[in-house]
Amino acid sequence: MSKLISLIFGYALIFLIIMAYYKINNLRTPFSNWGGWKKDVKLKERLIVAFILQIPLFIILVIF
């Protein structure tokens, strides 16, 4: 159960870090209000953000 809690906490932390990055650098956020992608987001940006969002899963699978 602690792996699940740490995974959820990791996803929330990474999501907040991504949103803070876009807000600090005055860029438009790639997510819509419901969490999907906006229509003007390019494939390259989607792949980079999707990879960054998977970092907590890799950490849980490798370390724990």
Side-chain angles (χ1 to χ4, degrees), residues 8-30:
I8 292 171
F9 180 72
Y11 277 131
L13 184 65
I14 290 292
F15 185 75
L16 290 175
I17 289 172
I18 290 172
M19 296 306 287
Y21 171 79
Y22 281 100
K23 296 283 183 186
I24 290 171
N25 292 321
N26 293 327
L27 301 171
R28 54 113 184 93
T29 58

Side-chain angles (χ1 to χ4, degrees), residues 2-3 6-7 55-64:
S2 73
K3 286 184 182 182
S6 61
L7 184 64
I55 290 173
L57 180 64
F58 293 141
I59 291 172
I60 295 296
L61 290 176
V62 173
I63 294 177
F64 292 116

